[in-house]
Amino acid sequence: MPDRMKTVIEVKGLKNQFGDQVVHEDLDLTVKRGEIIGVVGGSGTGKTVLMRSILGLQPFRDGEITIFGKPVSGLAEREELETRRQFGVLFQNGALFSTLTVAENIQVPLREFFDMTPELMNEIAAYKVGLVGLEANAGPKFPSELSGGMRKRAALARALALDPRLLFLDEPTAGLDPIGATAFDQLILDLKRTLGLTVFLITHDLDTLHTICDRVAVLADKKVLAVDTIENLIEIDHPWIQKYFSGPRGRAALAAATESPQGR
């Protein structure tokens, strides 16, 4: 049984099904406090479905999910709100509101949970903009006025608006060039160390997995097939794991991680 003081997310016996299609069956996963855990799997293995289930956005057929010891479903409204305040989410492609400025996007969760003065919300938004490495003049801009990398950082600033303890990232480096992706990885590492975050990360980026993840969970055969360091996963005799981590790209990512001074 996992140590409750060190467990942030616990998934037990999860089943997700859409019509006749069973996506997850008897899936178990434990996320430890203070770690960055990467989630990988082939197309159709339900990586985002798993994240949405943990967030309480996707009803599941069977099983139990807790965040900080609280179930994600069946809570009273006040308890549900308190749990939601403890995590932030960067959805795939950022999902910023196009009609709001960056600062106004960051203020959306503040308006939802608190009754703040406009001055205080502006101050918090400006701080979050700087926290993710954006220039101060990014605050008044609309998402369409930003580059892809800047939009990712703006979305991250919104995810951090409530000072969460747990951060969910869905393909955060997708669409970024190698330099931008490397910079974003370093930003996540820095924020994890500075803010004491636990990070749940869905990614296909092998460089990201090698550079910042403490453990990696592999989704295959409708469950978490294995969760471990990449070094240990490579030793598992499973076709998908071997193809993914020991193929040409996997070997290149391992070589780059070994040579790079960046890391956990």
Side-chain angles (χ1 to χ4, degrees), residues 58-97:
Q58 174 66 55
F60 46 90
R61 182 64 61 90
D62 200 5
E64 300 176 8
I65 302 176
T66 60
I67 297 180
F68 297 112
K70 300 279 188 177
V72 299
S73 58
L75 291 175
E77 182 178 0
R78 183 174 179 178
E79 285 185 301
E80 181 182 349
L81 288 172
E82 183 58 36
T83 300
R84 285 174 54 200
R85 279 180 52 187
Q86 297 183 68
F87 60 76
V89 187
L90 193 164
F91 291 103
Q92 201 169 124
N93 302 319
L96 292 168
F97 296 107

PDB file of all heavy atoms in Angstrom, residues 58-97:
ATOM      1  N   GLN A  58     -13.901  13.260 -17.034  1.00  0.00           N
ATOM      2  CA  GLN A  58     -14.323  12.101 -17.809  1.00  0.00           C
ATOM      3  C   GLN A  58     -14.900  11.038 -16.877  1.00  0.00           C
ATOM      4  O   GLN A  58     -14.169  10.440 -16.087  1.00  0.00           O
ATOM      5  CB  GLN A  58     -13.116  11.515 -18.564  1.00  0.00           C
ATOM      6  CG  GLN A  58     -13.391  10.217 -19.293  1.00  0.00           C
ATOM      7  CD  GLN A  58     -14.365  10.413 -20.417  1.00  0.00           C
ATOM      8  OE1 GLN A  58     -14.153  11.246 -21.292  1.00  0.00           O
ATOM      9  NE2 GLN A  58     -15.455   9.654 -20.407  1.00  0.00           N
ATOM     10  N   PRO A  59     -16.217  10.795 -16.906  1.00  0.00           N
ATOM     11  CA  PRO A  59     -16.796   9.739 -16.058  1.00  0.00           C
ATOM     12  C   PRO A  59     -16.185   8.389 -16.423  1.00  0.00           C
ATOM     13  O   PRO A  59     -15.971   8.090 -17.603  1.00  0.00           O
ATOM     14  CB  PRO A  59     -18.288   9.780 -16.415  1.00  0.00           C
ATOM     15  CG  PRO A  59     -18.520  11.122 -17.018  1.00  0.00           C
ATOM     16  CD  PRO A  59     -17.247  11.485 -17.717  1.00  0.00           C
ATOM     17  N   PHE A  60     -15.885   7.578 -15.413  1.00  0.00           N
ATOM     18  CA  PHE A  60     -15.302   6.269 -15.678  1.00  0.00           C
ATOM     19  C   PHE A  60     -16.264   5.180 -15.226  1.00  0.00           C
ATOM     20  O   PHE A  60     -17.107   5.379 -14.347  1.00  0.00           O
ATOM     21  CB  PHE A  60     -13.923   6.119 -15.017  1.00  0.00           C
ATOM     22  CG  PHE A  60     -13.838   6.569 -13.590  1.00  0.00           C
ATOM     23  CD1 PHE A  60     -14.080   5.692 -12.551  1.00  0.00           C
ATOM     24  CD2 PHE A  60     -13.504   7.892 -13.287  1.00  0.00           C
ATOM     25  CE1 PHE A  60     -13.988   6.109 -11.220  1.00  0.00           C
ATOM     26  CE2 PHE A  60     -13.404   8.319 -11.968  1.00  0.00           C
ATOM     27  CZ  PHE A  60     -13.650   7.425 -10.934  1.00  0.00           C
ATOM     28  N   ARG A  61     -16.118   4.017 -15.852  1.00  0.00           N
ATOM     29  CA  ARG A  61     -17.058   2.921 -15.630  1.00  0.00           C
ATOM     30  C   ARG A  61     -16.857   2.244 -14.276  1.00  0.00           C
ATOM     31  O   ARG A  61     -17.809   1.855 -13.609  1.00  0.00           O
ATOM     32  CB  ARG A  61     -16.906   1.896 -16.764  1.00  0.00           C
ATOM     33  CG  ARG A  61     -17.857   0.699 -16.716  1.00  0.00           C
ATOM     34  CD  ARG A  61     -19.307   1.115 -16.867  1.00  0.00           C
ATOM     35  NE  ARG A  61     -19.553   1.763 -18.143  1.00  0.00           N
ATOM     36  CZ  ARG A  61     -19.907   1.116 -19.256  1.00  0.00           C
ATOM     37  NH1 ARG A  61     -20.031  -0.203 -19.251  1.00  0.00           N
ATOM     38  NH2 ARG A  61     -20.141   1.781 -20.361  1.00  0.00           N
ATOM     39  N   ASP A  62     -15.606   2.118 -13.873  1.00  0.00           N
ATOM     40  CA  ASP A  62     -15.317   1.411 -12.619  1.00  0.00           C
ATOM     41  C   ASP A  62     -13.963   1.858 -12.098  1.00  0.00           C
ATOM     42  O   ASP A  62     -13.151   2.430 -12.825  1.00  0.00           O
ATOM     43  CB  ASP A  62     -15.319  -0.101 -12.862  1.00  0.00           C
ATOM     44  CG  ASP A  62     -15.510  -0.896 -11.574  1.00  0.00           C
ATOM     45  OD1 ASP A  62     -15.738  -0.266 -10.511  1.00  0.00           O
ATOM     46  OD2 ASP A  62     -15.423  -2.130 -11.627  1.00  0.00           O
ATOM     47  N   GLY A  63     -13.727   1.612 -10.802  1.00  0.00           N
ATOM     48  CA  GLY A  63     -12.447   1.931 -10.189  1.00  0.00           C
ATOM     49  C   GLY A  63     -12.531   3.095  -9.219  1.00  0.00           C
ATOM     50  O   GLY A  63     -13.607   3.642  -8.961  1.00  0.00           O
ATOM     51  N   GLU A  64     -11.376   3.478  -8.694  1.00  0.00           N
ATOM     52  CA  GLU A  64     -11.278   4.573  -7.731  1.00  0.00           C
ATOM     53  C   GLU A  64     -10.112   5.485  -8.121  1.00  0.00           C
ATOM     54  O   GLU A  64      -9.053   5.010  -8.520  1.00  0.00           O
ATOM     55  CB  GLU A  64     -11.028   4.036  -6.314  1.00  0.00           C
ATOM     56  CG  GLU A  64     -12.105   3.105  -5.792  1.00  0.00           C
ATOM     57  CD  GLU A  64     -11.748   2.533  -4.431  1.00  0.00           C
ATOM     58  OE1 GLU A  64     -10.748   2.983  -3.843  1.00  0.00           O
ATOM     59  OE2 GLU A  64     -12.447   1.618  -3.975  1.00  0.00           O
ATOM     60  N   ILE A  65     -10.336   6.785  -7.992  1.00  0.00           N
ATOM     61  CA  ILE A  65      -9.279   7.772  -8.231  1.00  0.00           C
ATOM     62  C   ILE A  65      -9.302   8.784  -7.100  1.00  0.00           C
ATOM     63  O   ILE A  65     -10.361   9.344  -6.785  1.00  0.00           O
ATOM     64  CB  ILE A  65      -9.461   8.514  -9.572  1.00  0.00           C
ATOM     65  CG1 ILE A  65      -9.498   7.530 -10.745  1.00  0.00           C
ATOM     66  CG2 ILE A  65      -8.330   9.523  -9.772  1.00  0.00           C
ATOM     67  CD1 ILE A  65      -9.765   8.203 -12.083  1.00  0.00           C
ATOM     68  N   THR A  66      -8.144   9.027  -6.495  1.00  0.00           N
ATOM     69  CA  THR A  66      -8.043  10.056  -5.467  1.00  0.00           C
ATOM     70  C   THR A  66      -6.906  11.017  -5.799  1.00  0.00           C
ATOM     71  O   THR A  66      -5.900  10.627  -6.395  1.00  0.00           O
ATOM     72  CB  THR A  66      -7.779   9.448  -4.072  1.00  0.00           C
ATOM     73  OG1 THR A  66      -6.543   8.707  -4.092  1.00  0.00           O
ATOM     74  CG2 THR A  66      -8.912   8.533  -3.645  1.00  0.00           C
ATOM     75  N   ILE A  67      -7.108  12.282  -5.442  1.00  0.00           N
ATOM     76  CA  ILE A  67      -6.073  13.308  -5.518  1.00  0.00           C
ATOM     77  C   ILE A  67      -5.912  13.882  -4.121  1.00  0.00           C
ATOM     78  O   ILE A  67      -6.890  14.329  -3.517  1.00  0.00           O
ATOM     79  CB  ILE A  67      -6.447  14.429  -6.505  1.00  0.00           C
ATOM     80  CG1 ILE A  67      -6.570  13.887  -7.924  1.00  0.00           C
ATOM     81  CG2 ILE A  67      -5.393  15.528  -6.476  1.00  0.00           C
ATOM     82  CD1 ILE A  67      -6.933  14.951  -8.948  1.00  0.00           C
ATOM     83  N   PHE A  68      -4.693  13.841  -3.602  1.00  0.00           N
ATOM     84  CA  PHE A  68      -4.428  14.274  -2.227  1.00  0.00           C
ATOM     85  C   PHE A  68      -5.382  13.581  -1.244  1.00  0.00           C
ATOM     86  O   PHE A  68      -5.870  14.187  -0.291  1.00  0.00           O
ATOM     87  CB  PHE A  68      -4.553  15.798  -2.109  1.00  0.00           C
ATOM     88  CG  PHE A  68      -3.557  16.564  -2.930  1.00  0.00           C
ATOM     89  CD1 PHE A  68      -3.975  17.313  -4.020  1.00  0.00           C
ATOM     90  CD2 PHE A  68      -2.207  16.524  -2.645  1.00  0.00           C
ATOM     91  CE1 PHE A  68      -3.069  18.008  -4.796  1.00  0.00           C
ATOM     92  CE2 PHE A  68      -1.283  17.216  -3.409  1.00  0.00           C
ATOM     93  CZ  PHE A  68      -1.718  17.960  -4.487  1.00  0.00           C
ATOM     94  N   GLY A  69      -5.660  12.315  -1.515  1.00  0.00           N
ATOM     95  CA  GLY A  69      -6.484  11.518  -0.620  1.00  0.00           C
ATOM     96  C   GLY A  69      -7.980  11.726  -0.764  1.00  0.00           C
ATOM     97  O   GLY A  69      -8.763  11.058  -0.088  1.00  0.00           O
ATOM     98  N   LYS A  70      -8.398  12.620  -1.659  1.00  0.00           N
ATOM     99  CA  LYS A  70      -9.826  12.895  -1.852  1.00  0.00           C
ATOM    100  C   LYS A  70     -10.299  12.263  -3.161  1.00  0.00           C
ATOM    101  O   LYS A  70      -9.626  12.378  -4.191  1.00  0.00           O
ATOM    102  CB  LYS A  70     -10.080  14.405  -1.920  1.00  0.00           C
ATOM    103  CG  LYS A  70      -9.675  15.171  -0.673  1.00  0.00           C
ATOM    104  CD  LYS A  70     -10.733  15.069   0.394  1.00  0.00           C
ATOM    105  CE  LYS A  70     -10.413  16.007   1.558  1.00  0.00           C
ATOM    106  NZ  LYS A  70     -11.465  15.986   2.588  1.00  0.00           N
ATOM    107  N   PRO A  71     -11.459  11.599  -3.162  1.00  0.00           N
ATOM    108  CA  PRO A  71     -11.978  11.039  -4.416  1.00  0.00           C
ATOM    109  C   PRO A  71     -12.311  12.147  -5.398  1.00  0.00           C
ATOM    110  O   PRO A  71     -12.700  13.246  -5.004  1.00  0.00           O
ATOM    111  CB  PRO A  71     -13.236  10.289  -3.967  1.00  0.00           C
ATOM    112  CG  PRO A  71     -13.637  10.931  -2.680  1.00  0.00           C
ATOM    113  CD  PRO A  71     -12.364  11.362  -2.016  1.00  0.00           C
ATOM    114  N   VAL A  72     -12.157  11.863  -6.691  1.00  0.00           N
ATOM    115  CA  VAL A  72     -12.411  12.896  -7.695  1.00  0.00           C
ATOM    116  C   VAL A  72     -13.896  13.011  -8.029  1.00  0.00           C
ATOM    117  O   VAL A  72     -14.304  13.942  -8.724  1.00  0.00           O
ATOM    118  CB  VAL A  72     -11.617  12.630  -8.996  1.00  0.00           C
ATOM    119  CG1 VAL A  72     -10.134  12.634  -8.714  1.00  0.00           C
ATOM    120  CG2 VAL A  72     -12.048  11.325  -9.652  1.00  0.00           C
ATOM    121  N   SER A  73     -14.701  12.083  -7.554  1.00  0.00           N
ATOM    122  CA  SER A  73     -16.142  12.145  -7.800  1.00  0.00           C
ATOM    123  C   SER A  73     -16.894  11.923  -6.497  1.00  0.00           C
ATOM    124  O   SER A  73     -16.395  11.297  -5.555  1.00  0.00           O
ATOM    125  CB  SER A  73     -16.560  11.086  -8.828  1.00  0.00           C
ATOM    126  OG  SER A  73     -16.208   9.790  -8.387  1.00  0.00           O
ATOM    127  N   GLY A  74     -18.089  12.481  -6.433  1.00  0.00           N
ATOM    128  CA  GLY A  74     -18.941  12.277  -5.274  1.00  0.00           C
ATOM    129  C   GLY A  74     -18.677  13.198  -4.104  1.00  0.00           C
ATOM    130  O   GLY A  74     -19.231  13.007  -3.025  1.00  0.00           O
ATOM    131  N   LEU A  75     -17.835  14.225  -4.296  1.00  0.00           N
ATOM    132  CA  LEU A  75     -17.549  15.161  -3.211  1.00  0.00           C
ATOM    133  C   LEU A  75     -18.641  16.224  -3.112  1.00  0.00           C
ATOM    134  O   LEU A  75     -19.312  16.553  -4.096  1.00  0.00           O
ATOM    135  CB  LEU A  75     -16.208  15.863  -3.444  1.00  0.00           C
ATOM    136  CG  LEU A  75     -14.932  15.027  -3.326  1.00  0.00           C
ATOM    137  CD1 LEU A  75     -13.735  15.889  -3.709  1.00  0.00           C
ATOM    138  CD2 LEU A  75     -14.757  14.473  -1.928  1.00  0.00           C
ATOM    139  N   ALA A  76     -18.787  16.772  -1.933  1.00  0.00           N
ATOM    140  CA  ALA A  76     -19.642  17.945  -1.765  1.00  0.00           C
ATOM    141  C   ALA A  76     -19.011  19.104  -2.518  1.00  0.00           C
ATOM    142  O   ALA A  76     -17.804  19.126  -2.762  1.00  0.00           O
ATOM    143  CB  ALA A  76     -19.793  18.294  -0.285  1.00  0.00           C
ATOM    144  N   GLU A  77     -19.831  20.086  -2.900  1.00  0.00           N
ATOM    145  CA  GLU A  77     -19.347  21.178  -3.755  1.00  0.00           C
ATOM    146  C   GLU A  77     -18.138  21.888  -3.157  1.00  0.00           C
ATOM    147  O   GLU A  77     -17.172  22.179  -3.858  1.00  0.00           O
ATOM    148  CB  GLU A  77     -20.471  22.186  -3.988  1.00  0.00           C
ATOM    149  CG  GLU A  77     -20.069  23.326  -4.906  1.00  0.00           C
ATOM    150  CD  GLU A  77     -21.208  24.293  -5.176  1.00  0.00           C
ATOM    151  OE1 GLU A  77     -22.315  24.064  -4.650  1.00  0.00           O
ATOM    152  OE2 GLU A  77     -20.988  25.282  -5.896  1.00  0.00           O
ATOM    153  N   ARG A  78     -18.169  22.151  -1.852  1.00  0.00           N
ATOM    154  CA  ARG A  78     -17.066  22.876  -1.221  1.00  0.00           C
ATOM    155  C   ARG A  78     -15.777  22.065  -1.271  1.00  0.00           C
ATOM    156  O   ARG A  78     -14.698  22.610  -1.559  1.00  0.00           O
ATOM    157  CB  ARG A  78     -17.425  23.200   0.233  1.00  0.00           C
ATOM    158  CG  ARG A  78     -16.375  24.019   0.961  1.00  0.00           C
ATOM    159  CD  ARG A  78     -16.869  24.430   2.328  1.00  0.00           C
ATOM    160  NE  ARG A  78     -15.876  25.202   3.047  1.00  0.00           N
ATOM    161  CZ  ARG A  78     -16.065  25.716   4.262  1.00  0.00           C
ATOM    162  NH1 ARG A  78     -17.234  25.552   4.877  1.00  0.00           N
ATOM    163  NH2 ARG A  78     -15.100  26.401   4.849  1.00  0.00           N
ATOM    164  N   GLU A  79     -15.870  20.753  -1.005  1.00  0.00           N
ATOM    165  CA  GLU A  79     -14.679  19.894  -1.054  1.00  0.00           C
ATOM    166  C   GLU A  79     -14.154  19.773  -2.482  1.00  0.00           C
ATOM    167  O   GLU A  79     -12.939  19.754  -2.705  1.00  0.00           O
ATOM    168  CB  GLU A  79     -15.017  18.508  -0.512  1.00  0.00           C
ATOM    169  CG  GLU A  79     -15.151  18.430   0.998  1.00  0.00           C
ATOM    170  CD  GLU A  79     -15.369  16.995   1.450  1.00  0.00           C
ATOM    171  OE1 GLU A  79     -16.355  16.391   1.004  1.00  0.00           O
ATOM    172  OE2 GLU A  79     -14.543  16.491   2.226  1.00  0.00           O
ATOM    173  N   GLU A  80     -15.068  19.708  -3.440  1.00  0.00           N
ATOM    174  CA  GLU A  80     -14.649  19.619  -4.832  1.00  0.00           C
ATOM    175  C   GLU A  80     -13.891  20.863  -5.261  1.00  0.00           C
ATOM    176  O   GLU A  80     -12.843  20.779  -5.917  1.00  0.00           O
ATOM    177  CB  GLU A  80     -15.872  19.426  -5.737  1.00  0.00           C
ATOM    178  CG  GLU A  80     -15.520  19.297  -7.212  1.00  0.00           C
ATOM    179  CD  GLU A  80     -16.748  19.161  -8.096  1.00  0.00           C
ATOM    180  OE1 GLU A  80     -17.849  18.966  -7.553  1.00  0.00           O
ATOM    181  OE2 GLU A  80     -16.595  19.262  -9.327  1.00  0.00           O
ATOM    182  N   LEU A  81     -14.389  22.028  -4.881  1.00  0.00           N
ATOM    183  CA  LEU A  81     -13.714  23.273  -5.218  1.00  0.00           C
ATOM    184  C   LEU A  81     -12.336  23.355  -4.564  1.00  0.00           C
ATOM    185  O   LEU A  81     -11.367  23.807  -5.174  1.00  0.00           O
ATOM    186  CB  LEU A  81     -14.568  24.466  -4.801  1.00  0.00           C
ATOM    187  CG  LEU A  81     -15.824  24.728  -5.640  1.00  0.00           C
ATOM    188  CD1 LEU A  81     -16.671  25.823  -5.005  1.00  0.00           C
ATOM    189  CD2 LEU A  81     -15.450  25.106  -7.065  1.00  0.00           C
ATOM    190  N   GLU A  82     -12.249  22.907  -3.317  1.00  0.00           N
ATOM    191  CA  GLU A  82     -10.973  22.947  -2.607  1.00  0.00           C
ATOM    192  C   GLU A  82      -9.952  22.030  -3.273  1.00  0.00           C
ATOM    193  O   GLU A  82      -8.761  22.372  -3.392  1.00  0.00           O
ATOM    194  CB  GLU A  82     -11.167  22.526  -1.148  1.00  0.00           C
ATOM    195  CG  GLU A  82      -9.907  22.607  -0.297  1.00  0.00           C
ATOM    196  CD  GLU A  82      -9.291  24.001  -0.261  1.00  0.00           C
ATOM    197  OE1 GLU A  82     -10.051  24.999  -0.270  1.00  0.00           O
ATOM    198  OE2 GLU A  82      -8.044  24.083  -0.246  1.00  0.00           O
ATOM    199  N   THR A  83     -10.396  20.874  -3.739  1.00  0.00           N
ATOM    200  CA  THR A  83      -9.499  19.954  -4.446  1.00  0.00           C
ATOM    201  C   THR A  83      -9.048  20.540  -5.765  1.00  0.00           C
ATOM    202  O   THR A  83      -7.861  20.493  -6.125  1.00  0.00           O
ATOM    203  CB  THR A  83     -10.199  18.604  -4.695  1.00  0.00           C
ATOM    204  OG1 THR A  83     -10.565  18.018  -3.439  1.00  0.00           O
ATOM    205  CG2 THR A  83      -9.271  17.641  -5.434  1.00  0.00           C
ATOM    206  N   ARG A  84      -9.990  21.143  -6.509  1.00  0.00           N
ATOM    207  CA  ARG A  84      -9.658  21.718  -7.814  1.00  0.00           C
ATOM    208  C   ARG A  84      -8.671  22.876  -7.693  1.00  0.00           C
ATOM    209  O   ARG A  84      -7.871  23.106  -8.612  1.00  0.00           O
ATOM    210  CB  ARG A  84     -10.932  22.196  -8.502  1.00  0.00           C
ATOM    211  CG  ARG A  84     -11.800  21.081  -9.073  1.00  0.00           C
ATOM    212  CD  ARG A  84     -13.102  21.625  -9.593  1.00  0.00           C
ATOM    213  NE  ARG A  84     -12.895  22.706 -10.538  1.00  0.00           N
ATOM    214  CZ  ARG A  84     -13.825  23.603 -10.847  1.00  0.00           C
ATOM    215  NH1 ARG A  84     -15.019  23.562 -10.266  1.00  0.00           N
ATOM    216  NH2 ARG A  84     -13.562  24.554 -11.722  1.00  0.00           N
ATOM    217  N   ARG A  85      -8.702  23.585  -6.597  1.00  0.00           N
ATOM    218  CA  ARG A  85      -7.764  24.692  -6.391  1.00  0.00           C
ATOM    219  C   ARG A  85      -6.330  24.212  -6.275  1.00  0.00           C
ATOM    220  O   ARG A  85      -5.397  25.002  -6.476  1.00  0.00           O
ATOM    221  CB  ARG A  85      -8.128  25.454  -5.114  1.00  0.00           C
ATOM    222  CG  ARG A  85      -9.258  26.454  -5.267  1.00  0.00           C
ATOM    223  CD  ARG A  85      -9.529  27.157  -3.956  1.00  0.00           C
ATOM    224  NE  ARG A  85      -8.332  27.737  -3.376  1.00  0.00           N
ATOM    225  CZ  ARG A  85      -8.266  28.293  -2.166  1.00  0.00           C
ATOM    226  NH1 ARG A  85      -9.363  28.324  -1.402  1.00  0.00           N
ATOM    227  NH2 ARG A  85      -7.150  28.812  -1.713  1.00  0.00           N
ATOM    228  N   GLN A  86      -6.148  22.936  -5.999  1.00  0.00           N
ATOM    229  CA  GLN A  86      -4.806  22.429  -5.748  1.00  0.00           C
ATOM    230  C   GLN A  86      -4.104  21.924  -7.007  1.00  0.00           C
ATOM    231  O   GLN A  86      -2.957  21.505  -6.938  1.00  0.00           O
ATOM    232  CB  GLN A  86      -4.861  21.315  -4.701  1.00  0.00           C
ATOM    233  CG  GLN A  86      -5.367  21.798  -3.347  1.00  0.00           C
ATOM    234  CD  GLN A  86      -5.339  20.704  -2.304  1.00  0.00           C
ATOM    235  OE1 GLN A  86      -4.272  20.254  -1.889  1.00  0.00           O
ATOM    236  NE2 GLN A  86      -6.504  20.252  -1.882  1.00  0.00           N
ATOM    237  N   PHE A  87      -4.805  21.951  -8.137  1.00  0.00           N
ATOM    238  CA  PHE A  87      -4.116  21.545  -9.358  1.00  0.00           C
ATOM    239  C   PHE A  87      -4.387  22.522 -10.499  1.00  0.00           C
ATOM    240  O   PHE A  87      -5.394  23.211 -10.544  1.00  0.00           O
ATOM    241  CB  PHE A  87      -4.482  20.105  -9.779  1.00  0.00           C
ATOM    242  CG  PHE A  87      -5.942  19.851 -10.071  1.00  0.00           C
ATOM    243  CD1 PHE A  87      -6.519  20.284 -11.249  1.00  0.00           C
ATOM    244  CD2 PHE A  87      -6.723  19.126  -9.173  1.00  0.00           C
ATOM    245  CE1 PHE A  87      -7.851  20.023 -11.538  1.00  0.00           C
ATOM    246  CE2 PHE A  87      -8.052  18.858  -9.440  1.00  0.00           C
ATOM    247  CZ  PHE A  87      -8.619  19.315 -10.635  1.00  0.00           C
ATOM    248  N   GLY A  88      -3.406  22.600 -11.408  1.00  0.00           N
ATOM    249  CA  GLY A  88      -3.520  23.419 -12.606  1.00  0.00           C
ATOM    250  C   GLY A  88      -3.330  22.542 -13.825  1.00  0.00           C
ATOM    251  O   GLY A  88      -2.672  21.502 -13.753  1.00  0.00           O
ATOM    252  N   VAL A  89      -3.902  22.968 -14.951  1.00  0.00           N
ATOM    253  CA  VAL A  89      -3.888  22.148 -16.160  1.00  0.00           C
ATOM    254  C   VAL A  89      -3.456  22.976 -17.367  1.00  0.00           C
ATOM    255  O   VAL A  89      -3.993  24.069 -17.599  1.00  0.00           O
ATOM    256  CB  VAL A  89      -5.279  21.540 -16.448  1.00  0.00           C
ATOM    257  CG1 VAL A  89      -5.190  20.563 -17.614  1.00  0.00           C
ATOM    258  CG2 VAL A  89      -5.865  20.873 -15.216  1.00  0.00           C
ATOM    259  N   LEU A  90      -2.494  22.463 -18.104  1.00  0.00           N
ATOM    260  CA  LEU A  90      -2.150  23.010 -19.413  1.00  0.00           C
ATOM    261  C   LEU A  90      -2.639  22.003 -20.443  1.00  0.00           C
ATOM    262  O   LEU A  90      -2.058  20.940 -20.608  1.00  0.00           O
ATOM    263  CB  LEU A  90      -0.645  23.225 -19.546  1.00  0.00           C
ATOM    264  CG  LEU A  90      -0.162  24.074 -20.731  1.00  0.00           C
ATOM    265  CD1 LEU A  90       1.276  24.517 -20.506  1.00  0.00           C
ATOM    266  CD2 LEU A  90      -0.258  23.349 -22.061  1.00  0.00           C
ATOM    267  N   PHE A  91      -3.760  22.341 -21.088  1.00  0.00           N
ATOM    268  CA  PHE A  91      -4.336  21.440 -22.078  1.00  0.00           C
ATOM    269  C   PHE A  91      -3.538  21.494 -23.370  1.00  0.00           C
ATOM    270  O   PHE A  91      -2.784  22.435 -23.633  1.00  0.00           O
ATOM    271  CB  PHE A  91      -5.796  21.812 -22.355  1.00  0.00           C
ATOM    272  CG  PHE A  91      -6.723  21.550 -21.194  1.00  0.00           C
ATOM    273  CD1 PHE A  91      -7.161  22.594 -20.387  1.00  0.00           C
ATOM    274  CD2 PHE A  91      -7.153  20.260 -20.917  1.00  0.00           C
ATOM    275  CE1 PHE A  91      -8.014  22.355 -19.322  1.00  0.00           C
ATOM    276  CE2 PHE A  91      -8.002  20.014 -19.847  1.00  0.00           C
ATOM    277  CZ  PHE A  91      -8.437  21.058 -19.052  1.00  0.00           C
ATOM    278  N   GLN A  92      -3.741  20.470 -24.197  1.00  0.00           N
ATOM    279  CA  GLN A  92      -3.060  20.410 -25.478  1.00  0.00           C
ATOM    280  C   GLN A  92      -3.392  21.664 -26.289  1.00  0.00           C
ATOM    281  O   GLN A  92      -4.530  22.113 -26.325  1.00  0.00           O
ATOM    282  CB  GLN A  92      -3.514  19.152 -26.229  1.00  0.00           C
ATOM    283  CG  GLN A  92      -2.562  18.697 -27.299  1.00  0.00           C
ATOM    284  CD  GLN A  92      -2.921  17.308 -27.828  1.00  0.00           C
ATOM    285  OE1 GLN A  92      -3.120  17.124 -29.019  1.00  0.00           O
ATOM    286  NE2 GLN A  92      -2.988  16.339 -26.936  1.00  0.00           N
ATOM    287  N   ASN A  93      -2.379  22.246 -26.894  1.00  0.00           N
ATOM    288  CA  ASN A  93      -2.503  23.475 -27.688  1.00  0.00           C
ATOM    289  C   ASN A  93      -2.819  24.712 -26.845  1.00  0.00           C
ATOM    290  O   ASN A  93      -3.160  25.762 -27.386  1.00  0.00           O
ATOM    291  CB  ASN A  93      -3.543  23.318 -28.798  1.00  0.00           C
ATOM    292  CG  ASN A  93      -3.227  22.173 -29.741  1.00  0.00           C
ATOM    293  OD1 ASN A  93      -2.067  21.978 -30.107  1.00  0.00           O
ATOM    294  ND2 ASN A  93      -4.237  21.408 -30.125  1.00  0.00           N
ATOM    295  N   GLY A  94      -2.739  24.602 -25.524  1.00  0.00           N
ATOM    296  CA  GLY A  94      -2.903  25.766 -24.654  1.00  0.00           C
ATOM    297  C   GLY A  94      -4.327  26.071 -24.265  1.00  0.00           C
ATOM    298  O   GLY A  94      -4.613  26.366 -23.119  1.00  0.00           O
ATOM    299  N   ALA A  95      -5.270  26.009 -25.229  1.00  0.00           N
ATOM    300  CA  ALA A  95      -6.700  26.252 -24.974  1.00  0.00           C
ATOM    301  C   ALA A  95      -6.958  27.602 -24.316  1.00  0.00           C
ATOM    302  O   ALA A  95      -7.819  27.730 -23.443  1.00  0.00           O
ATOM    303  CB  ALA A  95      -7.288  25.124 -24.133  1.00  0.00           C
ATOM    304  N   LEU A  96      -6.220  28.618 -24.748  1.00  0.00           N
ATOM    305  CA  LEU A  96      -6.468  29.972 -24.239  1.00  0.00           C
ATOM    306  C   LEU A  96      -7.739  30.533 -24.874  1.00  0.00           C
ATOM    307  O   LEU A  96      -8.110  30.182 -25.991  1.00  0.00           O
ATOM    308  CB  LEU A  96      -5.293  30.887 -24.568  1.00  0.00           C
ATOM    309  CG  LEU A  96      -3.972  30.601 -23.855  1.00  0.00           C
ATOM    310  CD1 LEU A  96      -2.846  31.387 -24.510  1.00  0.00           C
ATOM    311  CD2 LEU A  96      -4.062  30.927 -22.376  1.00  0.00           C
ATOM    312  N   PHE A  97      -8.411  31.424 -24.149  1.00  0.00           N
ATOM    313  CA  PHE A  97      -9.582  32.096 -24.689  1.00  0.00           C
ATOM    314  C   PHE A  97      -9.113  33.180 -25.657  1.00  0.00           C
ATOM    315  O   PHE A  97      -8.422  34.133 -25.256  1.00  0.00           O
ATOM    316  CB  PHE A  97     -10.416  32.708 -23.574  1.00  0.00           C
ATOM    317  CG  PHE A  97     -10.998  31.684 -22.625  1.00  0.00           C
ATOM    318  CD1 PHE A  97     -10.484  31.540 -21.343  1.00  0.00           C
ATOM    319  CD2 PHE A  97     -12.039  30.874 -23.024  1.00  0.00           C
ATOM    320  CE1 PHE A  97     -11.005  30.600 -20.469  1.00  0.00           C
ATOM    321  CE2 PHE A  97     -12.578  29.929 -22.158  1.00  0.00           C
ATOM    322  CZ  PHE A  97     -12.064  29.783 -20.885  1.00  0.00           C
TER     323      PHE A  97
END
